[in-house]
Amino acid sequence: MKKMIALMLKDFKLLFKDKMAVFFTFIFPLIFALVFGSIFAGDGNGSRALRVAAVDQDQTEQSQQFITELSAADEFKVQLTDEVNAKTLVRKGKLVAYFILPQGFGEDYQSVFSGNAPDILVGIDPSRKAEAGYLEGSLMKLGIKRFENAFTNADALTEQLDRSIIEIEQSDEVPAEWKSLLGDYLPKMRALAQEQQDAGGSISFGGDTEANPMVPLKVTRQDELVQRSGPRNAYSITIPQGAIWAIMGCVIGFAVSLVQEKTLGTMNRLIVAPISRTQIVAGKALGCFVAQVIVVTLLFLVAYFILGVSFDISKLIIAVIASGICFVGLMMFFASLAKTERSVAGMTNAFLIMMGMIGGAMIPLFVMPGWMQAISDFSPVKWAILALEGAIWRNFSYGEMMTPVLILSAIGIVAFILGTRMVKLEDA
Amino acid sequence: MIIVKGLQKRYGSIQAVDHVSLEIPTGHIFGLLGPNGAGKSTSISIMTGLIDADGGSVELDGLEPKSMKARYNIGLVPQSIALYEELTALDNLAFFASLYSLTPDVKSSRIDWALQFVGLQDRANDRVSEFSGGMKRRLNLAASLLHDPDYIFMDEPTAGVDPQSRNKLFDNVMELKELGKTIIYTTHYMEEAQKLCDRVGIIDHGKLLALGTVNELLHQYGGDTKLSISSEKGVKSFSSANVSEDLTNALRDIDKVYDISMNRPDLEAVFLNLTGRQLRD
Ligand SMILES: Nc1ncnc2c1ncn2[C@@H]1O[C@H](COP(=O)(O)OP(=O)(O)OP(=O)(O)O)[C@@H](O)[C@H]1O
Ligand SMILES: [Mg+2]
């Protein structure tokens, strides 16, 4: 065992001396996960405008004006449509939410000091709590405008009255009877306007008293379940993909190092030394396995602590072990086929990239068209990604985990047996 | 004591080793001489347990070379430089030493010894890729001696080496002999064999053509010494089996000798006589 560990540590040392290998095993997968993750992430949440549908069932001047204000707001990217379409769009996840302005919206919107706060219906997936909060806040901000209008009107009215009272008092042409009449009437009216203005100043929002006209809008939330085909956090997709790229780097690195051992002639030193062939092969396999575990662990640490990807740790361990077995087997298999570093690197690269492409290391599995998903069954990469995703966002049960785990282990064991049988260590 | 009996190895239509039998006493340096493709490396590979023979047997003090016990006693200096170029000399030695179950103390003292032995202690922390050909050769030797093996198989250890490194390597071989090691040394440089080896085997096309001490071989297969005397009577050239007698006789009727040249038979001549061709093409 000590000798195997020495073999492994030596390989790690060599791997770290090879800057390209380090890049493709450690740096590239991380960049891949981060770059693609941030591209996908920008689509749904983040700082960009929320994509929403608006349905105007009221068709009044006020409702139309409200939608215009909605469209003008930075927070929203509004698409005007009907109720059925709006619901479909939200359920399919194409839009974040829809607003419905029901009949009577305009009437309530106008009557600032009486009647009800205008109704507005928001349909959104209940899990999108952050968006829902942000959305309601933004709606309220727009709703306040209706008070502002009213307040500026009351203000103008008071001013107007003040000016009128003074004018009438100073005028010589107004008959005395009229002066007395208006002098009595106008201040009363002004007092009324003032009263309204003061009342407006003390409005508190957010109180959800039914029929409280002082609430800017009465938002009713309607749960609209998104028929989900993908996870919430885009990094939940790109981290497993990055892990696959890292694992591929390990596979190529160790397949090359095994062949290199032969071409360099150092394998001869190993064979002549008191270490069995099984130990030599096992040392390489162990090195490849441990390297995979290390790179995947690093990626998931970044995923957890920096990107906010959560996962089930015990299922993740199962997934990593299973894919480790699979790819160690493949490493042995390819190392046994090739005679030179170039050919082993080329062959392994070509195979893994192809498997990666059809297996979801580039295009996520869940967005693949059906025919492609069917082909992907033949790719070990697919099963590795599925196992990793099972531990992250697919919420696999242990039973469900078994499918990818068994397939991965079977591929790995068969490839390993074939590889160790065919590999000729002494063949320099 | 190394005992090799009837060794055979075939690669397709090529008989790489053809019924080779040898006995090498402990403490001897045995030279295996032959041109390219003669079967030297293949013989060594079988003797060190690297590859299996098709027939015949090898015993190292009664042990099969593949047995774990024998492996602790075999030092192979491969013909190609078998080192990790990207690692330092020290890292290379440390790794190869770790294959031999040495205690940490022994391990580090053996590494120090080996570096000292080949004169690379100052370059221990440099990468092998920065070494000259001669330095790589010396490290290639050092990497085979870490476990202090009794049997050292050196496959063309001086290939592609400048005279200085070559002399250092010769010194190393003689030092190892003094330490009581049994050494098998392959080469196609006659001078090396003549200088270093107690006994020499000449191999071609997998067959061992002759076996013996250098003097035995010279005597048996070298032919006569070529003598040439230049005097007032002109130049007289002749071959001689008994140089001192023939020379004395020839000088008797000469008054003034201008020059005498003498061409002693060497292993080159032995090889030529055995195979009818030059050793090095
Ligand atoms: N793995 C192999 N496959 C096929 N033929 C081989 C193999 N190894 C050696 N041979 C052949 O066996 C013969 C003996 O080769 P070997 O390497 O033992 O010669 P050598 O005496 O060491 O030559 P050199 O001085 O060039 O190192 C050669 O004809 C060589 O081509
Ligand atoms: Mg050779």
Side-chain angles (χ1 to χ4, degrees), chain A residues 426-428, chain B residues 9-12 14-17 32-45 51 79 155-156 186-188 203-206:
Chain A
E426 61 278 74
D427 201 356
Chain B
K9 181 72 186 181
R10 193 171 192 87
Y11 288 116
I14 296 166
Q15 189 72 39
V17 179
L32 198 55
L33 254 129
N36 289 124
K40 304 181 295 290
S41 296
T42 309
S43 302
I44 282 205
S45 295
I51 59 172
Q79 180 173 352
D155 198 352
E156 300 193 27
T186 82
T187 182
H188 44 219
I203 187 171
D204 193 22
H205 297 302

Side-chain angles (χ1 to χ4, degrees), chain B residues 118-119 132-135 137-138 158 160-172 195:
Chain B
V118 298
S132 72
M135 289 159 71
R137 279 282 161 205
R138 275 141 63 193
T158 57
V161 156
D162 60 65
Q164 208 184 330
S165 275
R166 178 182 293 240
N167 284 330
K168 174 75 187 158
L169 280 162
F170 289 166
D171 292 345
N172 284 154
K195 201 168 178 176

